[in-house]
């Protein structure tokens, strides 16, 4: 492929990168097979952006290995491995197909998958982009609400990898780091919830609680000023407003799932809330995975199987779960629209991404933020 130079094509500083624009879809990943579960867990519990433990490499491995057998069994119950790579590739393919039509001057567009804890990882993604002659990469976090333990961890790893593999900075980077209130995302969530509400029996259709569930965080992460809790709450508020616009006025709540390890985690926990609603006499619930955009173990096992059993024991006879966004066409369109808006902005960096946590960032995060700022300055210089 013949290289072409980035060029400014409008007063709005919109850039065109014919044949040279890559989109890196960043997420945590999941084990493809049973053999991958152990290393997947070790990688998670060794990540100091999630947990800070004394003697992390030893303590993290110990916690991980204690959980391997249990987690393997959970994955067996959902087919043996995680479907997150399949869904990410489906979403990526649909996204670039739309972008090729809506932004032909920056195409053909290519997507790459860079997972934090499993293959295909960030190293593989950056190597592929360099081999493909990509010039500009949009690092697109697939965690729609920002947290230092998710998007922040992926960005820290991206900094380390690009420094190792691309010391001459052949790749220009820009970033989409949060998009939890984007109108098309909100509409996609509302579509999925409305589908389930319509399945409820008429006598409880308007009174059944809608329970939004998001992955919990250790309280020490929350205490240092991580914005995740506020951003998840923002998504919920926008979705509830959209549901009300559609005439769906059910009561709702926000709860937190997937707490593991020895630290104190953000609550209330999803399991406790389900039991509480059952004790209060509710016979129906609609669960919504509000921080996930594709099915994986937290939806297919934890919400559907584990919490399904909790609901049954609590006397809840209609326990429905809003389908994950997966290949929902409006959601694929949302992904493409978000990237298109980023292109049209001149690949602008959200100033929120450069704001330190009020409780203090790790040294690595400070270094990563300086790198992100330098990429933004580099783009500005190119646009003059």
């Amino acid at each position: 492929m013949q290289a072409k130079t980035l060029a400014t094509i409008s007063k709005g500083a919109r850039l065109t990168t014919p044949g040279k624009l890559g989109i890196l879809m960043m997420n945590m990943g999941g084990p493809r097979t049973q053999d991958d579960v152990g290393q997947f867990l070790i990688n998670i519990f060794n990540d100091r952006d999630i947990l800070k433990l004394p003697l992390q490499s030893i303590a993290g491995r110990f916690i991980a290995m204690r959980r391997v057998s249990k987690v393997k069994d959970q994955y067996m119950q959902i087919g043996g491995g995680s479907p997150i790579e399949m869904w990410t590739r489906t979403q990526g393919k649909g996204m670039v197909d739309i972008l090729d039509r809506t932004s032909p001057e920056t195409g053909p567009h290519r997507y790459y998958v860079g997972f934090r804890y499993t293959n295909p990882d960030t190293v593989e993604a950056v190597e592929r982009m360099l081999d493909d002659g990509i010039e500009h990469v949009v690092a697109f976090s697939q965690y729609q609400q920002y947290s230092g333990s998710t998007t922040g961890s992926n960005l820290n790893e991206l900094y380390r990898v690009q420094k190792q593999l691309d010391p001459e900075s052949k790749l220009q980077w820009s970033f989409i780091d949060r998009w939890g209130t984007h109108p098309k995302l909100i509409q996609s969530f509302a579509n999925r919830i409305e589908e389930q509400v319509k399945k409820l029996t008429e006598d409880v259709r308007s009174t059944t609680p809608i329970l939004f569930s998001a992955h919990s965080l250790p309280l020490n992460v929350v205490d240092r000023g991580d914005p995740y809790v506020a951003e998840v709450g923002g998504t919920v508020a926008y979705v509830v407003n959209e549901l009300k616009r559609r005439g769906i006025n059910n009561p709702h709540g926000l709860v937190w799932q997937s707490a593991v390890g020895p630290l104190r985690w953000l609550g209330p926990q999803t399991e406790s809330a389900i039991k509480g609603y059952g004790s209060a006499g509710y016979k129906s619930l609609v669960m919504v995975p509000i921080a996930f955009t594709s099915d994986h173990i937290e939806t297919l096992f934890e919400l559907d199987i584990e919490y399904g059993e909790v609901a049954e024991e609590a006397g809840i006879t209609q326990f429905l779960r809003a389908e994950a966004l997966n290949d929902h066409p409006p959601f694929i369109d949302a992904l493409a629209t978000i990237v298109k808006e980023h292109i049209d902005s001149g690949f602008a960096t959200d100033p929120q991404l450069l704001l330190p946590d009020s409780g203090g960032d790790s040294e690595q995060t400070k270094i990563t933020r300086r790198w992100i700022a330098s990429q933004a300055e580099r783009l500005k210089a190119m646009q003059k």
Side-chain angles (χ1 to χ4, degrees):
M1 186 185 301
Q2 191 174 13
K4 298 182 181 180
T5 304
L6 291 167
T8 303
I9 63 171
S10 74
K11 292 182 180 179
R14 181 178 172 189
L15 301 179
T16 179
T17 57
K20 296 298 178 182
L21 181 64
I23 302 160
L24 176 62
M25 302 180 76
M26 302 187 302
N27 210 330
M28 69 179 296
R32 291 166 167 168
T33 69
Q34 292 279 290
D35 292 340
D36 299 328
V37 171
Q39 191 59 54
F40 170 67
L41 293 175
I42 290 170
N43 291 344
I44 290 175
F45 287 105
N46 277 342
D47 185 355
R48 292 183 65 79
D49 289 318
I50 298 179
L51 298 170
K52 286 184 171 63
L53 302 170
L55 301 172
Q56 183 101 21
S57 61
I58 298 173
R61 184 180 182 87
F62 175 75
I63 295 170
M65 297 313 293
R66 287 189 64 184
R67 291 182 53 80
V68 167
S69 178
K70 178 180 178 181
V71 175
K72 278 187 174 182
D73 178 67
Q74 293 173 356
Y75 275 107
M76 282 302 297
Q77 294 185 56
I78 64 169
S82 174
I84 193 169
E85 182 182 354
M86 177 195 72
W87 286 124
T88 303
R89 294 193 182 282
T90 298
Q91 293 161 356
K93 176 64 165 58
M95 174 185 68
V96 298
D97 284 349
I98 294 173
L99 284 169
D100 285 347
R101 297 194 301 271
T102 59
S103 186
E105 65 276 15
T106 56
H109 304 85
R110 299 187 180 191
Y111 78 90
Y112 299 83
V113 177
F115 288 148
R116 180 66 180 89
Y117 305 116
T118 58
N119 292 324
D121 61 10
T122 307
V123 170
E124 179 178 331
V126 173
E127 287 176 340
R128 285 182 178 272
M129 287 187 284
L130 290 169
D131 289 344
D132 289 346
I134 296 296
E135 291 180 341
H136 184 113
V137 188
V138 177
F140 188 6
S141 174
Q142 296 305 289
Y143 311 99
Q144 65 269 30
Q145 300 102 0
Y146 183 92
S147 171
S149 62
T150 54
T151 298
S153 179
N154 276 77
L155 290 173
N156 284 341
E157 178 68 2
L158 178 60
Y159 167 79
R160 290 187 288 262
V161 169
Q162 68 81 32
K163 184 177 180 182
Q164 172 190 351
L165 298 180
D166 185 27
E168 297 178 359
S169 297
K170 296 177 183 177
L171 297 173
Q172 168 67 55
W173 292 89
S174 63
F175 308 89
I176 301 174
D177 62 301
R178 68 198 77 203
W179 40 285
T181 59
H182 192 278
K184 290 190 175 182
L185 173 71
I186 300 305
Q187 291 164 14
S188 298
F189 273 126
N191 291 347
R192 293 304 210 196
I193 296 167
E194 186 175 13
E195 290 168 359
Q196 299 306 313
V197 170
K198 288 179 177 179
K199 294 179 182 178
L200 292 164
T201 54
E202 190 172 350
D203 60 320
V204 296
R205 189 169 296 153
S206 63
T207 58
T208 294
I210 298 172
L211 200 55
F212 295 91
S213 186
H215 201 296
S216 188
L217 277 182
L219 284 177
N220 60 6
V221 176
V222 178
D223 289 344
R224 75 182 185 217
D226 192 279
Y228 173 72
V229 177
E231 295 201 6
V232 172
T235 304
V236 170
Y238 274 77
V239 171
V240 168
N241 284 340
E242 174 61 19
L243 290 172
K244 288 180 178 179
R245 190 187 68 79
R246 300 182 186 195
I248 300 172
N249 296 288
N250 297 53
H252 66 277
L254 173 58
V255 292
W256 308 91
Q257 66 182 91
S258 310
V260 296
L263 301 180
R264 293 179 61 240
W265 288 68
L266 177 69
Q269 291 298 305
T270 303
E271 179 177 350
S272 299
I274 293 169
K275 291 177 180 178
Y277 283 117
S279 298
Y282 286 93
K283 300 298 182 182
S284 54
L285 280 177
V286 174
M287 303 298 302
V288 183
I290 196 63
F292 309 125
T293 59
S294 60
D295 274 321
H296 52 307
I297 196 168
E298 280 86 357
T299 58
L300 297 175
F301 175 79
E302 197 167 357
L303 283 177
D304 291 353
I305 298 174
E306 186 174 15
Y307 296 157
E309 293 173 355
V310 171
E312 184 178 1
E313 292 173 0
I316 297 172
T317 54
Q318 293 185 81
F319 185 74
L320 304 178
R321 195 258 292 178
E323 188 177 345
L325 300 180
N326 291 339
D327 59 351
H328 187 43
F331 175 65
I332 304 299
D333 181 58
L335 294 175
T337 300
I338 290 164
V339 175
K340 178 69 161 54
E341 290 171 352
H342 181 65
I343 293 170
D344 290 345
S345 75
F347 303 106
T349 298
D350 187 336
Q352 197 72 23
L353 180 58
L354 302 177
L355 184 70
D357 285 347
S358 54
D361 287 321
S362 69
E363 190 59 36
Q364 178 59 66
T365 298
K366 292 176 184 177
I367 293 170
T368 300
R369 289 187 193 276
R370 288 196 291 269
W371 170 66
I372 292 170
S374 73
Q375 292 295 305
E377 290 301 318
R378 183 181 174 189
L379 268 173
K380 286 181 183 178
M382 295 170 66
Q383 293 169 11
K384 291 180 180 178

